[in-house]
Amino acid sequence: MDLRPNGLCQHNGLYHIFHQYTPAQDLGLHKSWGHYVTRDWKHFADPGLPRLRPGL
């Protein structure tokens, strides 16, 4: 599993942390993305990845 942060940003008081993610059973063949949010850097939530509009 690879959890290195690849994107940190802040919007409306909420910090977003994006990272590459490889499921343990995948053996690193396929990369995916993970997304966590926090307001206080102590409590985190996983809202899932945002969906992009078609054509973006």
Side-chain angles (χ1 to χ4, degrees), residues 6-27:
N6 289 319
L8 302 171
C9 62
Q10 187 264 347
H11 181 69
N12 292 335
L14 195 62
Y15 295 93
H16 297 263
I17 305 143
F18 296 92
H19 62 90
Q20 287 184 340
Y21 172 72
T22 303
Q25 69 275 13
D26 195 343
L27 302 176

Side-chain angles (χ1 to χ4, degrees), residues 28-53:
L29 300 175
H30 299 94
K31 294 279 187 200
S32 187
W33 289 95
H35 176 210
Y36 289 98
V37 294
T38 183
R39 290 188 188 277
D40 59 10
W41 294 98
K42 292 180 183 178
H43 304 95
F44 296 86
D46 181 0
L49 289 175
R51 297 189 188 273
L52 297 177
R53 293 188 317 245

